[in-house]
Amino acid sequence: MRPGSFFHRTECFGPVLGLMRAEDLDQAIELANAQPFGLTSGIQTLDDREIARWVDRVEAGNLYVNRPVTGAIVGRQPFGGWKASSVGPGAKAGGPNYVLQLARWRQVSRPAADEPLAPSVAALLERCVAALDDDGAPALLRASAASYARAWREHFGREHDPMAIRGERNAFRYRPCRRVIVRGATTMELCQVTLAAYVAGTPLTVSLSPDSQPWAWLAECDGVDLVVEAEAGFVERLAHPKDAERVRVWEPISTAARAAANDAGLTVIDAPVLASGRLELRWYLREQTVSRVLHRYGSVTEPAATE
């Protein structure tokens, strides 16, 4: 089949196989990524360099190395895709966040502010504290930043293989969303959302209404695009989101905005903004499973270090 053809761009289920020729691995990755779907993907190679490049770049929820691309087992390969192969916030069936998304969480206590921060996060935190005149802002923001950093260190920034099967590695990991659109006033919640995305390494487009405090310093933060726009501009942005995947809000948005997000395939996250990093950071990350066979002809081997 040809690049861009119906079979290339359409998710077809059934006993049918389409073949495309690629000049090299990089072109093969481009062809695999050049479609709106991303459920599973697989590669067969004994070159650890090719495996590392493919695992880093391919856009799918379940990746399979030197094994079949079907037959996911709950616990080993939590299942769920990216892009149009996912609906909602993208928590994988059988993964650590699936049940969490079925509840609506609220903050009842403040987490401990005892986690060291990266210099860039610490600098952003101080700018946020200075921008708010609420007496309770410093304590809550410092606790939030510490909890976000702790959740990243202990959970989101690590690969997990709870099954630990000899001869097979089933790594569950997180990858930053391409971009998240944020809409809301210049409040404590906006600071928390920006800090959480900063820790996760996720780019933001912050959409402020014309009557919000300007907070021009946000535009100076790496990975943050700041726009001031009326409701009509926000709706138009959702209708043509470019590389954005999700919308993070904490106040009610209009029916027109929700309709535009729905038509564009954007997930609207309207849950309360939390100081708990284990709950808040998941909105800015995508889940991915990498399943790799580590045996050949009965010999169990470990892959070369690539990370």
Side-chain angles (χ1 to χ4, degrees):
M1 60 182 178
R2 297 180 181 277
S5 64
F6 170 84
F7 201 86
H8 178 208
R9 300 275 299 170
T10 304
E11 192 173 40
C12 297
F13 288 88
V16 59
L17 176 65
L19 298 177
M20 301 176 68
R21 181 187 297 274
E23 295 298 326
D24 52 31
L25 178 62
D26 290 333
Q27 186 186 23
I29 294 172
E30 291 177 4
L31 292 173
N33 290 342
Q35 57 169 306
F37 300 95
L39 187 58
T40 68
S41 189
I43 187 172
Q44 295 281 340
T45 179
L46 297 181
D47 190 327
D48 284 324
R49 297 167 300 177
E50 291 185 340
I51 293 171
R53 188 157 77 252
W54 180 81
V55 165
D56 182 62
R57 292 178 52 193
V58 74
E59 298 173 356
N62 281 60
L63 310 184
Y64 297 100
V65 179
N66 293 331
R67 54 148 290 167
V69 297
T70 59
I73 299 175
V74 173
R76 294 190 193 181
Q77 301 102 11
F79 198 71
W82 287 9
K83 300 185 285 190
S85 296
S86 174
V87 176
K92 284 176 167 289
N97 301 304
Y98 190 79
V99 174
L100 294 181
Q101 69 180 348
L102 304 180
R104 191 168 181 86
W105 301 86
R106 60 188 180 90
Q107 198 78 40
V108 297
S109 61
R110 196 166 60 208
D114 57 356
E115 183 76 16
L117 303 178
S120 59
V121 178
L124 175 60
L125 171 62
E126 295 309 316
R127 301 200 76 166
C128 288
V129 168
L132 295 173
D133 54 10
D134 184 351
D135 291 339
L140 180 56
L141 282 178
R142 295 186 195 284
S144 299
S147 183
Y148 300 157
R150 182 163 51 251
W152 179 261
R153 176 178 59 83
E154 295 179 351
H155 182 75
F156 293 101
R158 300 171 52 197
E159 290 190 354
H160 307 268
D161 184 2
M163 302 302 290
I165 299 172
R166 183 165 172 79
E168 184 175 275
R169 175 177 294 176
N170 295 293
F172 180 90
R173 65 182 190 171
Y174 297 89
R175 287 293 178 262
C177 290
R178 291 190 299 273
R179 180 167 295 274
V180 174
I181 298 173
V182 178
R183 177 71 168 181
T186 46
T187 60
M188 170 77 70
E189 288 84 357
L190 177 57
C191 289
Q192 289 176 296
V193 165
T194 306
L195 285 165
Y198 228 62
V199 170
T202 300
L204 293 181
T205 294
V206 177
S207 171
L208 299 179
S209 63
D211 57 352
S212 297
Q213 292 292 326
W215 280 16
W217 57 269
L218 273 174
E220 302 171 7
C221 299
D222 291 339
V224 177
D225 291 339
L226 181 65
V227 295
V228 178
E229 57 193 359
E231 173 69 12
F234 175 56
V235 172
E236 179 65 18
R237 184 174 302 280
L238 299 185
H240 303 91
K242 296 182 180 178
D243 59 345
E245 297 179 75
R246 296 175 187 168
V247 183
R248 184 67 171 105
V249 297
W250 51 93
E251 300 168 345
I253 60 174
S254 67
T255 301
R258 286 191 178 275
N262 181 70
D263 290 343
L266 283 173
T267 298
V268 177
I269 306 296
D270 58 0
V273 179
L274 302 177
S276 169
R278 181 61 184 86
L279 295 173
E280 184 62 32
L281 257 64
R282 58 201 171 109
W283 303 133
Y284 314 95
L285 299 164
R286 292 177 288 177
E287 301 177 3
Q288 189 177 62
T289 301
V290 183
S291 183
R292 179 174 181 180
V293 168
L294 299 179
H295 63 82
R296 189 165 181 83
Y297 304 125
S299 300
V300 177
T301 60
E302 287 293 331
T306 57
E307 299 178 1

Short mmCIF file of all heavy atoms in Angstrom, two decimals, residues 116-142:
data_model
loop_
_atom_site.label_atom_id
_atom_site.label_comp_id
_atom_site.label_asym_id
_atom_site.label_seq_id
_atom_site.Cartn_x
_atom_site.Cartn_y
_atom_site.Cartn_z
N PRO A 116 13.11 18.11 47.87
CA PRO A 116 13.94 19.09 47.15
C PRO A 116 13.42 19.30 45.73
O PRO A 116 12.91 18.37 45.10
CB PRO A 116 15.33 18.44 47.16
CG PRO A 116 15.09 16.99 47.38
CD PRO A 116 13.86 16.89 48.23
N LEU A 117 13.57 20.51 45.23
CA LEU A 117 13.06 20.87 43.91
C LEU A 117 14.20 21.13 42.95
O LEU A 117 15.27 21.62 43.35
CB LEU A 117 12.18 22.12 43.99
CG LEU A 117 10.98 22.07 44.94
CD1 LEU A 117 10.26 23.42 44.92
CD2 LEU A 117 10.03 20.95 44.57
N ALA A 118 13.98 20.79 41.69
CA ALA A 118 14.93 21.17 40.66
C ALA A 118 15.00 22.69 40.59
O ALA A 118 14.01 23.38 40.87
CB ALA A 118 14.50 20.59 39.32
N PRO A 119 16.15 23.26 40.22
CA PRO A 119 16.28 24.73 40.20
C PRO A 119 15.21 25.42 39.37
O PRO A 119 14.70 26.47 39.77
CB PRO A 119 17.68 24.93 39.61
CG PRO A 119 18.43 23.70 39.98
CD PRO A 119 17.42 22.58 39.91
N SER A 120 14.86 24.87 38.21
CA SER A 120 13.85 25.52 37.37
C SER A 120 12.47 25.51 38.04
O SER A 120 11.72 26.49 37.94
CB SER A 120 13.77 24.82 36.01
OG SER A 120 13.42 23.43 36.17
N VAL A 121 12.13 24.42 38.74
CA VAL A 121 10.85 24.35 39.44
C VAL A 121 10.85 25.29 40.63
O VAL A 121 9.86 25.98 40.90
CB VAL A 121 10.56 22.90 39.89
CG1 VAL A 121 9.26 22.83 40.67
CG2 VAL A 121 10.51 21.97 38.68
N ALA A 122 11.97 25.35 41.36
CA ALA A 122 12.07 26.25 42.51
C ALA A 122 11.93 27.71 42.08
O ALA A 122 11.26 28.51 42.75
CB ALA A 122 13.40 26.03 43.22
N ALA A 123 12.52 28.06 40.94
CA ALA A 123 12.41 29.44 40.45
C ALA A 123 10.98 29.76 40.06
O ALA A 123 10.47 30.85 40.36
CB ALA A 123 13.34 29.63 39.25
N LEU A 124 10.30 28.82 39.39
CA LEU A 124 8.90 29.04 39.03
C LEU A 124 8.03 29.17 40.28
O LEU A 124 7.13 30.01 40.35
CB LEU A 124 8.40 27.89 38.17
CG LEU A 124 6.91 27.90 37.80
CD1 LEU A 124 6.55 29.16 37.03
CD2 LEU A 124 6.55 26.65 36.99
N LEU A 125 8.30 28.35 41.28
CA LEU A 125 7.54 28.42 42.52
C LEU A 125 7.63 29.80 43.15
O LEU A 125 6.62 30.37 43.59
CB LEU A 125 8.06 27.35 43.50
CG LEU A 125 7.53 27.42 44.93
CD1 LEU A 125 6.01 27.22 44.96
CD2 LEU A 125 8.22 26.37 45.80
N GLU A 126 8.82 30.36 43.20
CA GLU A 126 8.99 31.68 43.82
C GLU A 126 8.26 32.76 43.03
O GLU A 126 7.70 33.70 43.61
CB GLU A 126 10.47 32.01 43.95
CG GLU A 126 11.23 31.09 44.90
CD GLU A 126 10.55 30.96 46.25
OE1 GLU A 126 10.10 31.99 46.80
OE2 GLU A 126 10.46 29.83 46.76
N ARG A 127 8.22 32.66 41.73
CA ARG A 127 7.48 33.64 40.92
C ARG A 127 5.99 33.50 41.17
O ARG A 127 5.27 34.51 41.23
CB ARG A 127 7.80 33.45 39.44
CG ARG A 127 9.27 33.61 39.11
CD ARG A 127 9.53 33.90 37.67
NE ARG A 127 9.21 35.29 37.34
CZ ARG A 127 9.58 35.90 36.21
NH1 ARG A 127 10.30 35.22 35.33
NH2 ARG A 127 9.25 37.14 35.97
N CYS A 128 5.52 32.27 41.34
CA CYS A 128 4.10 32.06 41.63
C CYS A 128 3.75 32.64 43.01
O CYS A 128 2.71 33.29 43.17
CB CYS A 128 3.77 30.57 41.59
SG CYS A 128 3.77 29.85 39.94
N VAL A 129 4.59 32.40 43.99
CA VAL A 129 4.33 32.92 45.34
C VAL A 129 4.27 34.44 45.32
O VAL A 129 3.40 35.06 45.93
CB VAL A 129 5.42 32.42 46.31
CG1 VAL A 129 5.34 33.18 47.63
CG2 VAL A 129 5.29 30.93 46.55
N ALA A 130 5.18 35.05 44.57
CA ALA A 130 5.21 36.51 44.51
C ALA A 130 4.01 37.09 43.78
O ALA A 130 3.60 38.23 44.05
CB ALA A 130 6.50 36.96 43.81
N ALA A 131 3.40 36.31 42.87
CA ALA A 131 2.28 36.82 42.09
C ALA A 131 0.96 36.78 42.84
O ALA A 131 0.01 37.46 42.44
CB ALA A 131 2.15 36.02 40.80
N LEU A 132 0.88 35.99 43.91
CA LEU A 132 -0.36 35.85 44.67
C LEU A 132 -0.30 36.62 45.97
O LEU A 132 0.72 36.60 46.65
CB LEU A 132 -0.64 34.36 44.96
CG LEU A 132 -0.90 33.47 43.74
CD1 LEU A 132 -0.97 32.02 44.15
CD2 LEU A 132 -2.19 33.88 43.04
N ASP A 133 -1.40 37.28 46.31
CA ASP A 133 -1.44 38.05 47.56
C ASP A 133 -2.24 37.33 48.65
O ASP A 133 -2.51 37.89 49.71
CB ASP A 133 -2.01 39.45 47.33
CG ASP A 133 -3.37 39.41 46.65
OD1 ASP A 133 -3.95 38.31 46.54
OD2 ASP A 133 -3.85 40.48 46.23
N ASP A 134 -2.62 36.10 48.40
CA ASP A 134 -3.34 35.30 49.38
C ASP A 134 -2.38 34.88 50.49
O ASP A 134 -1.30 34.34 50.23
CB ASP A 134 -3.95 34.08 48.69
CG ASP A 134 -4.81 33.25 49.63
OD1 ASP A 134 -4.80 33.51 50.84
OD2 ASP A 134 -5.49 32.33 49.13
N ASP A 135 -2.78 35.08 51.75
CA ASP A 135 -1.91 34.73 52.87
C ASP A 135 -1.58 33.24 52.91
O ASP A 135 -0.51 32.85 53.39
CB ASP A 135 -2.55 35.15 54.20
CG ASP A 135 -2.63 36.66 54.35
OD1 ASP A 135 -1.86 37.36 53.66
OD2 ASP A 135 -3.46 37.14 55.15
N GLY A 136 -2.49 32.41 52.43
CA GLY A 136 -2.25 30.98 52.47
C GLY A 136 -1.52 30.44 51.25
O GLY A 136 -1.23 29.23 51.19
N ALA A 137 -1.21 31.31 50.30
CA ALA A 137 -0.62 30.86 49.05
C ALA A 137 0.76 30.23 49.22
O ALA A 137 1.01 29.14 48.68
CB ALA A 137 -0.55 32.01 48.05
N PRO A 138 1.69 30.86 49.94
CA PRO A 138 3.04 30.28 50.00
C PRO A 138 3.05 28.84 50.53
O PRO A 138 3.70 27.96 49.93
CB PRO A 138 3.78 31.24 50.94
CG PRO A 138 3.06 32.53 50.80
CD PRO A 138 1.63 32.17 50.62
N ALA A 139 2.35 28.58 51.61
CA ALA A 139 2.38 27.25 52.21
C ALA A 139 1.78 26.21 51.26
O ALA A 139 2.33 25.12 51.08
CB ALA A 139 1.65 27.25 53.55
N LEU A 140 0.63 26.53 50.66
CA LEU A 140 -0.02 25.57 49.78
C LEU A 140 0.80 25.33 48.51
O LEU A 140 0.94 24.19 48.05
CB LEU A 140 -1.42 26.05 49.41
CG LEU A 140 -2.22 25.12 48.49
CD1 LEU A 140 -2.33 23.72 49.08
CD2 LEU A 140 -3.61 25.69 48.21
N LEU A 141 1.36 26.39 47.93
CA LEU A 141 2.14 26.23 46.72
C LEU A 141 3.42 25.44 46.98
O LEU A 141 3.81 24.59 46.17
CB LEU A 141 2.48 27.59 46.12
CG LEU A 141 1.35 28.28 45.35
CD1 LEU A 141 1.80 29.64 44.85
CD2 LEU A 141 0.89 27.43 44.18
N ARG A 142 4.07 25.69 48.11
CA ARG A 142 5.29 24.94 48.42
C ARG A 142 4.97 23.47 48.66
O ARG A 142 5.72 22.58 48.24
CB ARG A 142 5.99 25.55 49.64
CG ARG A 142 6.51 26.96 49.39
CD ARG A 142 7.33 27.51 50.54
NE ARG A 142 7.51 28.94 50.42
CZ ARG A 142 8.34 29.52 49.56
NH1 ARG A 142 9.09 28.78 48.76
NH2 ARG A 142 8.45 30.84 49.52
#
